[in-house]
Amino acid sequence: METIDLGGKWKAHDTEQEFAFEGEVPGTVAGDLVNSGLMPHPYQGTNEQLFQRLESKSWVYQRTFFLKKLEPHLNYQLVLKGVDTLSRIYLNQHFVGKTENMFLEYRFEVKPFLRQGENQLKVEILSPISLPQAYQRNSGSLRAAFEPARVYLRKAQYSYGWDWGARIATGGIWRAIQLEVYPDGRLFGSTAYLEDLTGKVKFSGYVELPPGEDPSSYRVEVLLNEGPVGTFPVEAQVTGYQFEGTKTIEHLSLWYPRGLGESTLYQIDFRLLKQQTEVWREQKRTGFRTVRLLRETDGAGESFIFEINRKKVFAKGANWIPAENILSWLKKEDYQKLLEMAKDAQLNMLRVWGGGIYEDPAFYSRCDELGIMVWQDFMFACGEYPDHLDWFRKLAGEEVRQNLIKLRHHPSIVLWCGNNENNWGFEEWDYQTKVEGKHLGNRLYLEDFLQICSQEDPARPYWPSSPWGGSRANSSEAGDKHEWRVWSQWQDYSHYTEDQSKFVSEFGFQSAPHPKTIDFFAQQENKNLFSPVMLTHNKQTEGPERIMKFIHQHFGLVSDFDSITYLSQLNQAEAIKTGVEHWRTRKYQTAGTLYWQWNDSWPVFSWSAIDYFKRPKALYYYTRRFYAPLLPIAKRIGDELVIFIINDGESCKLSLEYELWTLAGKEVKKMTYQNLTVPADSVVQVDRLKVSPSLLEKSIAYLKLKEGTKLKAENHELLANLRWNPPANPQISFRTEGEHWLITSQKPALGVKIETESSPEDNFFTLVPSTSKRIKKVGDQIQLVSAYDYLFR
């Protein structure tokens, strides 16, 4: 096979002849316009608004390419890996075909249109709003967040704006385009999965054959780490030509998520043979594991526990959104950085949210390597989808089938999920349209997608929606829950401790991005939480008001912009810590926490732990601590302080030190618990301490967990409300010891922040006088601040 890459520089213009530029393929119209200097950077100031008028435009991309020879016995397929979204394709002025789904790969037989020598290729990209609005006029306006017309177009839904995302709904040839030249059949969708823990592995895949070819002349040979496994016949099935077979592999090393074992991967070569001659090869890197959802009566409803290779795992993770609004600016290096940060922060699961994209293969491959499980939504979010229309239902099913077949060899994917929040909307929002008694979308989520997943990937569970389970979609008694009473319904984060959910797949608290990120999009005169620039960069209705409410509730009245930025981050971190630690003490009554959200798609005030420029917020550093495999926790329950140890690993013997300090700097309690045996995968309640409420309300607890003399984990619990009991000056100091800083304080210090040019290995930590923090030096200059400094500006 020969692949001719048709990417690179293309000539481009809009059909109204306002813009003409050199476009990049793969790429996007918006990215090309900015890169060409024809439009300003959409992420600065209020420039995002300038891009909305481009939605009504259509665009033409064209280029020439050369063929030295046109062979009569070869197949020539034009392959478009991804076009955003509606397009018409012409080759040498002949209409080749059209695209109508951003998430599909399109293949066109183009041999009749090709010629030896120069060839002209043209792709017309149509307006992403005109046709959906026409469908809306003709078929009815449906309910959907942010832009109702979006549900008629299979385009990344967040591109029409979200409560954290910019509205930049242009288009482009956003993934590779190439000409594939080959003589015979081709393989696609080859995969292998473990049927049971005896080592029985099923191998399967699809074969495309030229018209009239006899499948019996083809076979597929499989090699595992270059060693032969077996050869399987190609046979006609209802869904096309396929091969499949089962072999038992002895001494197979299994794939485990982080914390449970090694994430072992194997290379598998699938060779399509025609009369013993190789005509096509697919190479996959995969791992072998079993996965199931334990859904059993547990005395308080029904459990929702992921089990990998018969081992239960508490999911510690976050939700992933697209890491760019302009997808041509998203690179493999971005995936690498964000996923490495996830690994370093102790995450073992990411949920790919259903309003974005099926991510680049680099995302899933790196999750495989790092042992990060993936909860994969299908791309339907917060709306009624017109599955009563035959064309839409067929297009949606084709999308799910094709992407499932492409991705199913990744062991990191442990769940397919039908949509984000749509079924919750059927029950509790205004998503009440029904056709023949069925909510719009349920033909997909409850019928079609279930059947497709059962046919194409029986090795993984399918879940109809997130949230789903129990007497209502968003119930606490079964399945997964989105806990948005806190923040979105103005409840304080203390209410997390009342939640009894089985699996919390969304919950979140908003904060500002890093100060340098704000500097990128705002001038000094814009640094007011309610200025037009700031409101452009906070997409939630009354988002700034919520930030101020919760800062005032926990820290008191502040108006200085830098204080608001810092305290919003600290408040966010304390909020998510409260929820996570509560749910971890309920292990496996609650079996997972995926907070909203891990990353950002542009520089914005949002719920993320890492901002657009990958600058970590306070929540990122807190995550590294509250997702630790060993964690001591102190929680106020009534008039008692209850002390727990969480252990996600093997059984161990530990000692625990507990200290209670007033914010004024007085140590009022100290206890040591020696020779504590903590069983594997457990929660141990160490003690229940009676402490007077008046003392708790002005104190902070600090815990140190040790194995012998080695410090394994530290944690704090802020019991005081700083609004009513402000801290004393902690008098933080540091000294240099070789390549490290040793940081200490004279009184308790909350949210100690090292301000340097580079991100330190730890930050936003707590100090009490009995502790010190040893940090590897980054840069020559250091400034230390804490909550005290921002409360008294």
Side-chain angles (χ1 to χ4, degrees), residues 94-213:
H94 296 281
F95 177 69
V96 170
K98 63 180 182 178
T99 70
E100 49 189 351
N101 189 321
M102 176 180 177
F103 308 120
L104 285 180
E105 175 184 297
Y106 286 86
R107 289 177 167 266
F108 301 104
E109 297 288 346
V110 293
K111 189 173 182 177
F113 312 128
L114 285 167
R115 55 193 181 210
Q116 191 168 308
E118 185 177 274
N119 291 264
Q120 296 178 335
L121 181 60
K122 181 171 74 171
V123 178
E124 294 179 354
I125 298 168
L126 309 183
S127 161
I129 197 65
S130 299
L131 186 63
Q133 288 180 342
Y135 277 124
Q136 191 177 43
R137 289 191 297 271
N138 295 329
S139 299
S141 181
L142 304 179
R143 277 78 171 177
F146 309 109
E147 171 52 74
R150 67 177 168 82
V151 297
Y152 283 103
L153 188 62
R154 294 310 302 142
K155 174 180 173 66
Q157 301 288 269
Y158 82 110
S159 58
Y160 294 95
W162 220 264
D163 56 6
W164 40 259
R167 179 163 181 154
I168 305 176
T170 58
I173 306 170
W174 75 292
R175 285 185 166 162
I177 179 170
Q178 59 199 40
L179 188 67
E180 290 184 359
V181 184
Y182 58 96
D184 295 291
R186 72 177 185 93
L187 278 172
F188 66 97
S190 301
T191 191
Y193 66 87
L194 189 64
E195 290 192 317
D196 57 49
L197 294 178
T198 65
K200 189 162 66 172
V201 176
K202 185 165 187 177
F203 301 89
S204 64
Y206 283 93
V207 180
E208 182 183 280
L209 297 179
E213 280 283 284

Side-chain angles (χ1 to χ4, degrees), residues 221 270-281:
E221 181 184 45
F270 299 88
R271 302 175 64 229
L272 180 63
L273 307 177
K274 181 180 182 181
Q275 307 296 355
Q276 305 307 311
T277 299
E278 180 180 318
V279 295
W280 196 283
R281 178 183 293 225

Side-chain angles (χ1 to χ4, degrees), residues 140-402:
S141 181
L142 304 179
R143 277 78 171 177
F146 309 109
E147 171 52 74
R150 67 177 168 82
V151 297
Y152 283 103
L153 188 62
R154 294 310 302 142
K155 174 180 173 66
Q157 301 288 269
Y158 82 110
S159 58
Y160 294 95
W162 220 264
D163 56 6
W164 40 259
R167 179 163 181 154
I168 305 176
T170 58
I173 306 170
W174 75 292
R175 285 185 166 162
I177 179 170
Q178 59 199 40
L179 188 67
E180 290 184 359
V181 184
Y182 58 96
D184 295 291
R186 72 177 185 93
L187 278 172
F188 66 97
S190 301
T191 191
Y193 66 87
L194 189 64
E195 290 192 317
D196 57 49
L197 294 178
T198 65
K200 189 162 66 172
V201 176
K202 185 165 187 177
F203 301 89
S204 64
Y206 283 93
V207 180
E208 182 183 280
L209 297 179
E213 280 283 284
D214 181 4
S216 65
S217 61
Y218 290 85
R219 300 181 72 79
V220 175
E221 181 184 45
V222 176
L223 295 90
L224 184 69
N225 282 356
E226 301 184 348
V229 170
T231 304
F232 306 103
V234 175
E235 298 175 329
Q237 304 289 343
V238 175
T239 51
Y241 294 111
Q242 293 178 261
F243 72 91
E244 65 176 28
T246 301
K247 295 288 184 180
T248 297
I249 311 296
E250 295 184 358
H251 311 301
L252 198 63
S253 296
L254 299 180
W255 184 94
Y256 285 95
R258 297 190 73 247
L260 280 190
E262 295 298 319
S263 305
T264 305
L265 297 173
Y266 288 85
Q267 177 182 302
I268 307 182
D269 290 283
F270 299 88
R271 302 175 64 229
L272 180 63
L273 307 177
K274 181 180 182 181
Q275 307 296 355
Q276 305 307 311
T277 299
E278 180 180 318
V279 295
W280 196 283
R281 178 183 293 225
E282 265 201 315
Q283 191 174 86
K284 300 290 176 71
R285 198 161 177 240
T286 192
F288 296 107
R289 51 98 187 101
T290 61
V291 55
R292 67 170 181 149
L293 278 176
L294 294 180
R295 298 172 59 201
E296 301 169 341
T297 301
D298 62 5
E302 182 184 84
S303 66
F304 189 90
I305 304 169
F306 283 92
E307 185 188 70
I308 309 296
N309 303 329
R310 295 184 188 158
K311 289 186 177 182
K312 291 191 293 187
V313 55
F314 188 99
K316 300 180 291 188
N319 286 260
W320 174 281
I321 65 169
E324 256 295 350
N325 266 93
I326 296 178
L327 288 168
S328 53
W329 292 350
L330 180 57
K331 307 302 180 187
K332 288 181 173 57
E333 295 76 18
D334 298 311
Y335 287 115
Q336 178 78 15
K337 176 66 173 176
L338 287 166
L339 292 174
E340 286 291 334
M341 293 179 78
K343 180 204 74 170
D344 291 344
Q346 319 272 4
L347 272 66
N348 64 13
M349 180 177 280
L350 287 166
R351 172 179 173 241
V352 178
W353 168 76
I357 61 174
Y358 304 95
E359 296 291 343
D360 188 270
F363 170 86
Y364 302 99
S365 295
R366 194 64 184 133
C367 287
D368 294 343
E369 294 166 355
L370 295 175
I372 296 174
M373 296 178 288
V374 175
W375 169 313
Q376 178 67 54
D377 282 3
F378 296 132
M379 295 300 128
F380 302 82
C382 297
E384 296 176 315
Y385 285 87
D387 62 347
H388 63 300
L389 303 175
D390 289 342
W391 67 266
F392 185 91
R393 186 176 181 181
K394 180 181 178 183
L395 191 63
E398 185 180 0
E399 170 191 319
V400 165
R401 187 182 299 275
Q402 187 182 113

Side-chain angles (χ1 to χ4, degrees), residues 482-528:
H482 293 189
E483 177 47 271
W484 282 114
R485 290 173 297 180
V486 172
W487 181 266
S488 287
Q489 294 184 18
W490 294 82
Q491 286 190 8
D492 183 55
Y493 59 76
S494 60
H495 288 274
Y496 283 142
T497 62
E498 302 166 6
D499 186 86
Q500 307 293 305
S501 301
K502 300 302 181 182
F503 191 107
V504 194
S505 50
E506 275 193 29
F507 63 105
F509 214 82
Q510 199 183 86
S511 75
H514 192 284
K516 288 183 180 178
T517 298
I518 295 175
D519 289 341
F520 171 80
F521 65 77
Q523 302 297 318
Q524 191 63 37
E525 61 267 23
N526 306 132
K527 292 185 179 180
N528 175 317

Side-chain angles (χ1 to χ4, degrees), residues 66-86:
F66 291 83
L67 277 183
K68 291 182 180 179
K69 210 170 186 182
L70 194 59
E71 299 285 0
H73 65 285
L74 295 179
N75 299 295
Y76 292 81
Q77 282 194 343
L78 180 64
V79 182
L80 298 98
K81 301 283 189 178
V83 177
D84 182 9
T85 293
L86 303 168

